Amino acid sequence: QDNRISLWSADDLGNVGLNGECHGEPHLLCDIQHNGDVMDMQFLDQERIVVASSTGTVTIFRHHQNNQTLSANHRWERAHYHVDQDTSCGGAACTGVVCNNPEIVTVGEDGRINLFRADQKDAVRTIDNADSSTLHAVTFLRTTEILTVNSIGQLKIWDLRQQRNEPSQIFSLAGDRVPLHCVDRHPNQQHIVATGGQDGMLSIWDIRQGTMPVSLLNAHEAEMWEVHFHPSNPDHLFTCSEDGSLWHWDASTNRSEKPSFLHQGGRSTTYLSHNTINQSVVSAWLSNDPTKDRMEITNLIPNQTLSVNSLDVLGPCLVYGTDAEAIYVNRQLFA
């Protein structure tokens, strides 16, 4: 009932043990009350954090580093709503937020897309009926284009320069309308996109061609909540699920030079082949060379039973949060 935004410091964890466990404790710098469930959040810059609420409100919190406090810097009340913006109970959950300072894009259960600027009181642009179903996640494709995923298995591209309120492209999972929960774009090859959803499958899309995924990879046994390419090493991808697993997908080709840590500590490693549909471009994720067409997958938390709800990657650190009400930092992704 009572939620908080908390800012932690993990920079004094210098002493890392042999298995990547940290000896220093992360410590709480500051926290602040938050109205509604925290559905998503992202740093806008060094000091500001944009937070999406289940009440439909979007808030920018500022971190004051001189006295280690957080304060609400700006708030867009009921940026997402079902009936009308003024009804007290009419808020619709804001399900996703993505920032490209000073621009902030939000999506919600109401099928609405908002474009805000950090320094402006009103929305720069609102696409009211962007979707007839819930939009679950959003990411930037380029500075003027965004990608959204929805609850009927569609991936849509929106060009924010266009005034019309229709997507410039629609992609969908063939046949079954499996809700998609998460999306991430390859950091270097912007045409490669990964999504995950209700059935736990990982889908890889090449948005230059076709309207269906290039690869469908069997993954988790329950909903996939988050998918992330490694920002500087994008042949590596991470997914986490309601089934309590967090998978490291390794599509890099130099298999023989792999550090042995993948095979230590009882971690399960399996090989999957992808099911590739007429592919011409060679990227680790779009490869149709059968010798390379093997993926190494490691479950980084083999005995976990509770849902892994969120993850993020920064350099050698993997951070994830689970239903055990705990946040974990894995500091040795690559030995």
Side-chain angles (χ1 to χ4, degrees), residues 116-249:
F116 295 111
R117 275 209 186 87
D119 46 6
Q120 290 181 20
K121 187 166 147 300
D122 297 320
V124 178
R125 171 97 190 269
T126 294
I127 305 177
D128 272 327
N129 300 308
D131 215 301
S132 55
S133 61
T134 296
L135 289 168
H136 281 143
V138 58
T139 190
F140 275 99
L141 187 58
R142 301 184 177 76
T143 48
T144 55
E145 281 184 315
I146 55 166
L147 284 168
T148 58
V149 291
N150 70 12
S151 59
I152 55 170
Q154 292 173 323
L155 174 69
K156 295 183 181 181
I157 299 180
W158 305 83
D159 187 339
L160 297 173
R161 292 165 302 190
Q162 300 288 335
Q163 282 316 301
R164 56 197 189 91
N165 292 344
E166 279 88 47
S168 50
Q169 275 177 285
I170 300 180
F171 303 83
S172 57
L173 295 168
D176 35 345
R177 302 191 148 203
V178 177
L180 291 172
H181 290 301
C182 52
V183 57
D184 197 28
R185 187 208 77 198
H186 191 289
N188 315 333
Q189 293 174 293
Q190 294 175 333
H191 55 278
I192 300 174
V193 174
T195 63
Q198 194 84 32
D199 57 1
M201 297 276 279
L202 172 65
S203 307
I204 305 290
W205 311 70
D206 181 348
I207 59 172
R208 298 169 307 181
Q209 51 182 304
T211 56
M212 285 161 57
V214 173
S215 306
L216 284 171
L217 299 157
N218 274 319
H220 302 280
E221 285 161 29
E223 295 91 339
M224 186 191 293
W225 292 131
E226 197 100 69
V227 57
H228 267 297
F229 285 100
H230 191 288
S232 56
N233 203 341
D235 284 353
H236 299 264
L237 179 93
F238 300 88
T239 59
C240 65
S241 167
E242 181 70 29
D243 68 9
S245 60
L246 193 164
W247 285 16
H248 173 185
W249 303 72

Side-chain angles (χ1 to χ4, degrees), residues 229-287:
F229 285 100
H230 191 288
S232 56
N233 203 341
D235 284 353
H236 299 264
L237 179 93
F238 300 88
T239 59
C240 65
S241 167
E242 181 70 29
D243 68 9
S245 60
L246 193 164
W247 285 16
H248 173 185
W249 303 72
D250 181 356
S252 58
T253 45
N254 54 344
R255 217 47 95 236
S256 55
E257 300 159 30
K258 281 274 168 301
S260 58
F261 85 103
L262 284 174
H263 307 289
Q264 287 172 359
R267 292 172 172 174
S268 55
T269 300
T270 45
Y271 288 95
L272 290 192
S273 64
H274 0 147
N275 132 27
T276 309
I277 307 162
N278 55 30
Q279 203 41 64
S280 56
V281 182
V282 177
S283 147
W285 295 104
L286 307 178
S287 160

Side-chain angles (χ1 to χ4, degrees), residues 1-218:
Q1 300 302 310
D2 174 27
N3 297 307
R4 305 189 80 75
I5 302 289
S6 304
L7 197 66
W8 298 79
S9 167
D11 58 4
D12 53 353
L13 301 179
N15 311 319
V16 176
L18 290 172
N19 301 323
E21 79 278 13
C22 303
H23 295 311
E25 285 292 310
H27 64 273
L28 183 65
L29 292 176
C30 47
D31 64 356
I32 192 170
Q33 243 178 323
H34 180 269
N35 191 12
D37 295 346
V38 176
M39 303 296 286
D40 197 8
M41 59 180 170
Q42 199 171 61
F43 277 97
L44 177 67
D45 55 27
Q46 291 289 319
E47 294 183 332
R48 291 178 295 175
I49 305 152
V50 181
V51 182
S53 171
S54 58
T55 64
T57 294
V58 177
T59 310
I60 302 180
F61 290 98
R62 185 180 286 276
H63 173 219
H64 305 275
Q65 292 172 359
N66 51 355
N67 60 358
Q68 291 305 348
T69 56
L70 280 167
S71 67
N73 177 239
H74 190 85
R75 189 173 273 129
W76 292 282
E77 293 285 350
R78 275 192 217 87
H80 295 273
Y81 54 91
H82 282 306
V83 190
D84 62 81
Q85 209 159 6
D86 305 321
T87 316
S88 59
C89 57
C94 176
T95 49
V97 57
V98 65
C99 303
N100 187 12
N101 192 9
E103 296 190 321
I104 298 161
V105 175
T106 69
V107 296
E109 268 177 16
D110 52 359
R112 195 173 265 110
I113 299 173
N114 290 307
L115 171 63
F116 295 111
R117 275 209 186 87
D119 46 6
Q120 290 181 20
K121 187 166 147 300
D122 297 320
V124 178
R125 171 97 190 269
T126 294
I127 305 177
D128 272 327
N129 300 308
D131 215 301
S132 55
S133 61
T134 296
L135 289 168
H136 281 143
V138 58
T139 190
F140 275 99
L141 187 58
R142 301 184 177 76
T143 48
T144 55
E145 281 184 315
I146 55 166
L147 284 168
T148 58
V149 291
N150 70 12
S151 59
I152 55 170
Q154 292 173 323
L155 174 69
K156 295 183 181 181
I157 299 180
W158 305 83
D159 187 339
L160 297 173
R161 292 165 302 190
Q162 300 288 335
Q163 282 316 301
R164 56 197 189 91
N165 292 344
E166 279 88 47
S168 50
Q169 275 177 285
I170 300 180
F171 303 83
S172 57
L173 295 168
D176 35 345
R177 302 191 148 203
V178 177
L180 291 172
H181 290 301
C182 52
V183 57
D184 197 28
R185 187 208 77 198
H186 191 289
N188 315 333
Q189 293 174 293
Q190 294 175 333
H191 55 278
I192 300 174
V193 174
T195 63
Q198 194 84 32
D199 57 1
M201 297 276 279
L202 172 65
S203 307
I204 305 290
W205 311 70
D206 181 348
I207 59 172
R208 298 169 307 181
Q209 51 182 304
T211 56
M212 285 161 57
V214 173
S215 306
L216 284 171
L217 299 157
N218 274 319

